[in-house]
Amino acid sequence: MGVSIKQIAEIAGVSRGTVDRALNDRPGIKPEVKKHVLEIADSLGYRSNRAGKLLGLHKAPMSIGIQMPSEGNDFFEAITAGQRQAGSELGDFGLRLYWRTMKGFSARRQAQQIDELIEEGVQAIALVPIDHQIIHEKLAELARKNIPVITFNTDIADSDRICYVGNDYLKSGATAAGLLGRLADGREWRVLVLTGSVSMLGHNQRIHGFHSTIKEHYSNIKVVDIFETEDDDDKAYQICREFLSPAAAAGGRSVELPADAIYLTAGGTAGCCKAVIEAGLAGVIKIISFDRTPSMEQYLADRVITASIEQEPYLQGYLPVKMLFDYLLDNTRPPACSWTRNEIVISENMNQSARFTEK
Amino acid sequence: MGVSIKQIAEIAGVSRGTVDRALNDRPGIKPEVKKHVLEIADSLGYRSNRAGKLLGLHKAPMSIGIQMPSEGNDFFEAITAGQRQAGSELGDFGLRLYWRTMKGFSARRQAQQIDELIEEGVQAIALVPIDHQIIHEKLAELARKNIPVITFNTDIADSDRICYVGNDYLKSGATAAGLLGRLADGREWRVLVLTGSVSMLGHNQRIHGFHSTIKEHYSNIKVVDIFETEDDDDKAYQICREFLSPAAAAGGRSVELPADAIYLTAGGTAGCCKAVIEAGLAGVIKIISFDRTPSMEQYLADRVITASIEQEPYLQGYLPVKMLFDYLLDNTRPPACSWTRNEIVISENMNQSARFTEK
DNA sequence: CTGAAAGCGCTTACAG
DNA sequence: CTGAAAGCGCTTACAG
């Protein structure tokens, strides 16, 4: 169909091997020959053929490394499923995936696992970067070594990653506010904010985006308090229990609610739900949360959680692998940011797409 | 990596050509030889290699036909974009796409365009089937001719399509009801339903799913009336104008609203919005709609439309092409139904995912 | 630094 | 009905 290496070789009066050297920046070719070949390729509008490349991979198969803080964190299950799917689809083309996972957010541990991946010989890395000097330096080192990096779920400023795949946390906060504003429908509502940690950028952005939107459009909504759950269900349960105790003590009698809604920016949702149910306030106090873990499923189905905003975790696993593969294969450049959607999930639309999980 | 045709040939004591004939049901092979080869392939756990297949396509490139009622219908723009994207990604492997589009829903025209595609020599077809005897017969004919079919956007009962890619209209109706129920928050709300046509199954299912959910969970919501817009903005405008005239005549003075919300199952949303704005009721009467056309964008952004439920139209274009390609390539069977999500879109989360459109 | 050859896995004419 | 050969586009040793 298109132009092939063979044709370029004929026209340039060199061998296919030399054309290959020129096109793929391989060593051992005279600069002027390279220039000549590239000019011809250019004038012919040469684009390498994927089928040929794919089959040509047979020796020197590709390997990609993945590093993430997924241990003990249910949220990463869907991400892992996406990575596995990409690995299996591309396995036919020889791709090998190497995982390094950790519990919690240690920059030193992350740096160490990145080193391990390099030693395994991976040609590219996808990771959830920790915002720490050590990691900044490590990413600079990867850039020097010509190992392309894609960040997912969380981005890191001023690094040389070729792409970020994940949420825009400001917009996800705005989405939560937009939803809550529509629910309040002009009524004066007071909102309790439960965040994961005030030192997590993403969590803060979800608060910030929320604030901006209510400030601009929903002056009837007020934030009454902010607490940290440390992404922990027990902690969230304790906080909510205490917060709700006046209303709970009142039993059936009507007292003013301590809040009309609870907005959770991160983990701890199931604990919060438990406390709300125990206080007899399920469905009365609206709960807006993010993501979806197994422990949240039932609360979503039962409408204890009014809505949860998901961020396409499966794609956050799938896309980085796919993009790195394409990049290594024929230099296909992904966009600098591939935003995942903020999906508003309620009980009625929570179980629909078997597409991603069934295969 | 895996087992190759060459290895099977050696073990079976036949040539690669014969193995190929056996594996791909090609004519000209003795039944017992075929059986023998297949047994060996089976025992070795043979799975064909995609890279090899892809390159082997060079002669006899694939072609897939697409038929849909997209003319004059903005909704199909995103679908077309998805098809184009799949076509360009797979173009490297020689795939050619053939389009036949029509305006409106003529079964005879559809049958004729299917015939045209067959004459073009397409090996598979993706279409939006019309529920008519002629089409049922045409699909049976395609099955006899061994031309695989995928339906998208709309399914058709008891046909031999290998997959349906699209919405579950009952669930999309349920999603609309769940959302409206949360907005009403226990208040007695009256809803005007505007459907496209009472003879369109999908539109009816969106009403049915809506009814079931309010019946089960939101007895505070009542449907006050149902009108047909014929998917037409002018018609929708006229209906709404008349319906809202008492309230509009009242000007600023408070009268009881003729409805608290309008639920549109199909086209005509922009017309409805125009009438609601003219009556001075933007934001007061909640509007829940489906999909998203250019004419709706501004109303969504301005919160005149409270929320619209989208059905991943881009994927409805992309997936059928991709699935048919995979099916033709190595018999990869798609699921019988690949449901697209019911995405709740509000002004805050409407512009996020550049992923699908930018490329 | 360059070329000629062999190979990846699968298909397709062609010869028998 | 079957086999031997050639080819798809690209890569990789190997020889010079």
Side-chain angles (χ1 to χ4, degrees):
Chain A
M1 305 120 215
V3 187
S4 74
I5 268 187
K6 195 173 153 196
Q7 291 170 52
I8 297 177
E10 277 163 17
I11 296 175
V14 298
S15 71
R16 283 107 129 313
T18 299
V19 176
D20 180 66
R21 282 182 269 263
L23 291 171
N24 297 291
D25 277 322
R26 285 186 234 285
I29 177 170
K30 236 195 293 189
E32 55 266 41
V33 175
K34 181 167 178 174
K35 181 155 172 284
H36 179 219
V37 170
L38 288 179
E39 277 171 5
I40 290 177
D42 227 46
S43 70
L44 261 45
Y46 174 77
R47 291 198 330 112
S48 67
N49 177 289
R50 299 207 126 210
K53 283 245 178 197
L54 255 12
L55 198 51
L57 285 174
H58 65 104
K59 219 112 195 185
M62 256 187 229
S63 61
I64 293 175
I66 295 169
Q67 202 282 337
M68 56 188 182
S70 56
E71 281 177 33
N73 189 342
D74 286 344
F75 168 69
F76 279 87
E77 280 178 25
I79 289 184
T80 307
Q83 293 163 345
R84 290 224 185 86
Q85 176 65 24
S88 107
E89 279 177 18
L90 301 173
D92 250 38
F93 308 131
L95 175 65
R96 292 231 27 176
L97 253 29
Y98 293 85
W99 274 272
R100 285 294 182 282
T101 61
M102 63 186 184
K103 190 174 169 68
F105 303 90
S106 157
R108 287 190 43 205
R109 183 107 184 83
Q110 179 161 69
Q112 183 199 325
Q113 294 198 324
I114 292 172
D115 285 337
E116 288 176 25
L117 288 170
I118 296 174
E119 274 190 31
E120 294 264 25
V122 302
Q123 291 136 285
I125 291 180
L127 50 63
V128 180
I130 290 168
D131 192 7
H132 188 287
Q133 187 55 27
I134 297 182
I135 300 304
H136 286 258
E137 280 161 20
K138 189 54 75 180
L139 293 188
E141 180 190 330
L142 290 174
R144 280 194 305 277
K145 286 186 169 156
N146 260 317
I147 296 180
V149 167
I150 289 185
T151 54
F152 63 95
N153 188 262
T154 302
D155 200 11
I156 192 169
D158 303 320
S159 69
D160 287 319
R161 88 280 186 290
I162 59 169
C163 174
Y164 164 62
V165 178
N167 215 214
D168 178 334
Y169 288 87
L170 285 171
K171 281 199 183 164
S172 67
T175 300
L179 188 58
L180 201 60
R182 282 164 179 73
L183 293 172
D185 193 23
R187 294 174 286 182
E188 298 288 326
W189 270 18
R190 285 145 8 99
V191 180
L192 170 66
V193 176
L194 296 186
T195 196
S197 160
V198 293
S199 61
M200 295 290 284
L201 180 63
H203 302 178
N204 290 343
Q205 288 181 320
R206 280 182 175 161
I207 294 178
H208 189 222
F210 185 86
H211 263 131
S212 308
T213 298
I214 62 174
K215 191 173 165 195
E216 190 176 346
H217 294 287
Y218 303 106
S219 57
N220 51 311
I221 293 180
K222 300 271 179 292
V223 170
V224 289
D225 220 333
I226 300 186
F227 295 110
E228 284 179 279
T229 65
E230 291 166 23
D231 279 354
D232 183 75
D233 278 326
D234 291 336
K235 188 87 191 286
Y237 171 74
Q238 294 301 339
I239 293 170
C240 288
R241 202 174 121 101
E242 182 157 345
F243 183 81
L244 298 172
S245 55
R253 285 165 297 132
S254 93
V255 285
E256 204 200 2
L257 290 174
D260 301 282
I262 300 176
Y263 169 50
L264 294 112
T265 68
T269 304
C272 169
C273 289
K274 193 169 159 233
V276 168
I277 291 172
E278 286 180 8
L281 296 170
V284 178
I285 292 190
K286 315 306 174 207
I287 297 176
I288 305 287
S289 62
F290 284 100
D291 304 330
R292 187 161 148 198
T293 58
S295 65
M296 290 165 64
E297 297 269 345
Q298 195 58 50
Y299 294 126
L300 253 177
D302 292 345
R303 299 175 167 71
V304 178
I305 299 172
T306 301
S308 195
I309 298 169
E310 291 201 65
Q311 53 174 312
E312 302 193 289
Y314 182 94
L315 265 183
Q316 293 188 20
Y318 183 90
L319 277 184
V321 173
K322 170 82 170 130
M323 286 171 166
L324 286 173
F325 180 86
D326 286 346
Y327 182 80
L328 293 174
L329 184 69
D330 56 11
N331 229 17
T332 305
R333 273 219 161 262
C337 285
S338 177
W339 304 112
T340 52
R341 288 179 172 124
N342 289 118
E343 301 196 307
I344 299 173
V345 177
I346 60 180
S347 55
E348 284 81 4
N349 72 345
M350 67 184 282
N351 289 318
Q352 332 165 307
S353 174
R355 210 172 340 112
F356 291 137
T357 44
E358 265 187 10
K359 276 189 179 172
Chain B
M1 306 121 215
V3 187
S4 74
I5 269 188
K6 195 173 153 196
Q7 292 171 52
I8 296 177
E10 277 163 17
I11 296 176
V14 297
S15 72
R16 283 106 126 319
T18 299
V19 175
D20 179 66
R21 283 182 267 262
L23 291 171
N24 296 292
D25 278 324
R26 284 186 236 283
I29 178 171
K30 237 195 291 187
E32 53 266 38
V33 175
K34 180 168 179 174
K35 183 156 170 282
H36 179 220
V37 170
L38 288 179
E39 277 171 5
I40 290 176
D42 226 46
S43 70
L44 261 45
Y46 174 78
R47 290 196 333 110
S48 67
N49 177 289
R50 298 208 128 210
K53 283 245 178 199
L54 255 13
L55 199 50
L57 286 174
H58 65 102
K59 219 115 195 184
M62 256 187 229
S63 61
I64 293 176
I66 295 170
Q67 202 282 337
M68 56 188 184
S70 56
E71 283 177 32
N73 189 341
D74 286 344
F75 168 70
F76 279 87
E77 279 177 26
I79 290 184
T80 306
Q83 293 163 346
R84 289 223 186 88
Q85 176 64 24
S88 106
E89 280 177 18
L90 301 173
D92 251 36
F93 308 132
L95 175 64
R96 293 230 27 174
L97 253 28
Y98 294 86
W99 274 273
R100 284 294 182 284
T101 61
M102 63 186 184
K103 190 174 169 69
F105 302 91
S106 155
R108 287 189 43 205
R109 183 108 183 80
Q110 179 161 68
Q112 183 200 325
Q113 294 199 325
I114 292 172
D115 284 337
E116 288 175 25
L117 288 170
I118 296 175
E119 272 189 33
E120 294 263 26
V122 303
Q123 290 136 287
I125 292 180
L127 50 63
V128 180
I130 290 167
D131 192 8
H132 187 287
Q133 186 57 26
I134 296 182
I135 300 304
H136 286 259
E137 279 161 21
K138 188 55 73 182
L139 293 188
E141 179 189 330
L142 290 173
R144 279 194 305 277
K145 287 187 169 157
N146 261 315
I147 296 180
V149 167
I150 289 185
T151 54
F152 63 94
N153 188 262
T154 303
D155 201 11
I156 192 169
D158 302 320
S159 70
D160 287 319
R161 90 279 186 289
I162 60 169
C163 175
Y164 164 63
V165 178
N167 214 215
D168 178 334
Y169 289 86
L170 285 171
K171 281 197 182 162
S172 66
T175 300
L179 187 59
L180 201 60
R182 282 165 178 74
L183 293 171
D185 193 22
R187 294 174 285 182
E188 299 287 326
W189 270 18
R190 284 145 8 101
V191 180
L192 170 66
V193 176
L194 296 187
T195 196
S197 160
V198 293
S199 61
M200 294 292 283
L201 180 63
H203 302 179
N204 291 341
Q205 288 181 320
R206 280 182 176 162
I207 295 178
H208 189 223
F210 184 86
H211 264 131
S212 307
T213 298
I214 62 174
K215 192 173 163 194
E216 191 177 344
H217 295 288
Y218 303 106
S219 57
N220 52 311
I221 293 180
K222 300 270 180 291
V223 170
V224 290
D225 219 333
I226 301 186
F227 295 110
E228 284 179 279
T229 66
E230 290 166 24
D231 280 354
D232 183 76
D233 278 326
D234 291 335
K235 188 86 191 286
Y237 171 74
Q238 294 300 340
I239 293 170
C240 287
R241 202 174 123 99
E242 182 158 343
F243 183 82
L244 298 173
S245 56
R253 285 165 296 132
S254 92
V255 285
E256 203 199 2
L257 290 174
D260 301 283
I262 300 177
Y263 169 50
L264 295 112
T265 68
T269 303
C272 169
C273 289
K274 191 168 160 236
V276 167
I277 291 173
E278 286 179 8
L281 296 170
V284 178
I285 293 190
K286 315 305 174 207
I287 297 176
I288 306 287
S289 63
F290 285 99
D291 305 329
R292 187 163 149 196
T293 58
S295 66
M296 290 166 63
E297 298 269 345
Q298 195 58 50
Y299 295 127
L300 253 176
D302 292 344
R303 298 174 167 74
V304 178
I305 298 172
T306 302
S308 195
I309 298 168
E310 289 201 66
Q311 52 174 313
E312 303 194 288
Y314 183 94
L315 265 183
Q316 293 188 20
Y318 183 88
L319 276 184
V321 174
K322 170 82 170 131
M323 286 171 166
L324 286 172
F325 181 86
D326 286 346
Y327 182 80
L328 292 174
L329 185 70
D330 57 9
N331 229 16
T332 305
R333 273 219 160 263
C337 286
S338 178
W339 304 113
T340 52
R341 288 180 173 125
N342 290 118
E343 302 197 306
I344 299 173
V345 177
I346 61 180
S347 55
E348 285 80 5
N349 72 346
M350 67 183 283
N351 289 320
Q352 331 166 308
S353 173
R355 209 170 341 111
F356 292 137
T357 44
E358 265 188 9
K359 274 188 177 170

